[in-house]
Amino acid sequence: MPINTPFSKMLISKVLTIKATAKKPCLLSFVLLGSTLLTATSMTVQAAGLSDLFSNNNSASQSKFLPVDQAFQVISSTKATSKGTRLSIAFEITPGHYVYKDKLTLRFPKGVSATPFTFNQSPVSIDDPTFGKVPVFTQRSVIATTTLITSNGKGAKNVPVIIGWQGCATAGLCYPPEKVKTKINIAATRR
């Protein structure tokens, strides 16, 4: 571990100054300085480890995790139908990652409702260390579809909708839950 940080250089400079000016070496100063160097080195290692966790450096010698927006691309689209507005949420999942089926949620204002999600792929069941047996999507491309309607059957413009989801890397990292905010025009339903 190189001790080539500005903080460690300053401490070494102080040691050399103490040695040059003191007639007798002071054991206490040496012990305090040694513990300070160990603490500084430990903090440097921890900081480097955290910054390396999501580094874009593709070095084969170090295990890296992709940033969430590179591990998962999420795109929503809508289409007006006679039954309301069909909302499709497309997940492009990088190999070695998965999305929890049960963590896909929608939040919208009162007076709006949604049909249960349907999926173009079948989930697989995994034994998750946090959640137990859960269904997840590991496929490269997954599309979840629902239909949004208003309680009065009339159309509505710019309805705020929050799409919630969560994914993980199979190498051992679960990303925090994500939220995608969007506004959707809901088509009037025909009876």
Side-chain angles (χ1 to χ4, degrees), residues 10 33 37 59 69 71 79 81 87-88 90 97 107 111 114 118-119 121 137 153 155-156 164 185-186:
M10 179 200 63
L33 182 61
L37 275 174
S59 169
D69 61 340
K79 181 178 181 182
T81 71
L87 169 64
S88 297
H97 295 78
R107 283 196 347 217
T118 57
F119 299 92
Q121 304 276 356
F137 294 103
N185 293 331
I186 300 178

Side-chain angles (χ1 to χ4, degrees), residues 114-126:
T115 61
F117 282 112
T118 57
F119 299 92
N120 71 330
Q121 304 276 356
S122 296
V124 296
S125 183
I126 65 166

Side-chain angles (χ1 to χ4, degrees), residues 133-152:
K133 283 233 180 258
V134 291
V136 299
F137 294 103
T138 58
Q139 300 89 339
R140 177 86 173 129
S141 182
V142 175
I143 300 173
T145 306
T146 185
T147 300
L148 298 170
I149 57 173
T150 60
S151 57
N152 62 12

Side-chain angles (χ1 to χ4, degrees), residues 16 24 48 95 101:
L16 295 175
K24 294 184 181 177
K101 177 186 178 204

Side-chain angles (χ1 to χ4, degrees), residues 42-170:
S42 172
M43 287 171 34
T44 302
V45 169
Q46 287 175 355
L50 291 174
S51 68
D52 286 344
L53 187 62
F54 294 103
S55 171
N56 288 329
N57 181 0
N58 291 329
S59 169
S61 66
Q62 295 179 343
S63 174
K64 307 280 188 233
F65 292 104
L66 293 173
V68 69
D69 61 340
Q70 288 180 18
F72 311 94
Q73 285 78 51
V74 182
I75 300 168
S76 65
S77 61
T78 59
K79 181 178 181 182
T81 71
S82 61
K83 297 179 181 178
T85 295
R86 183 173 53 234
L87 169 64
S88 297
I89 305 164
F91 291 89
E92 292 298 318
I93 304 170
T94 301
H97 295 78
Y98 57 89
V99 171
Y100 291 105
K101 177 186 178 204
D102 297 337
K103 297 291 182 182
L104 180 58
T105 61
L106 289 178
R107 283 196 347 217
F108 36 76
K110 190 175 183 176
V112 175
S113 61
T115 61
F117 282 112
T118 57
F119 299 92
N120 71 330
Q121 304 276 356
S122 296
V124 296
S125 183
I126 65 166
D127 192 12
D128 186 86
T130 304
F131 302 113
K133 283 233 180 258
V134 291
V136 299
F137 294 103
T138 58
Q139 300 89 339
R140 177 86 173 129
S141 182
V142 175
I143 300 173
T145 306
T146 185
T147 300
L148 298 170
I149 57 173
T150 60
S151 57
N152 62 12
K154 295 181 180 179
K157 293 196 179 274
N158 295 320
V159 175
V161 175
I162 299 173
I163 302 165
W165 63 276
Q166 185 175 12
C168 296
T170 56

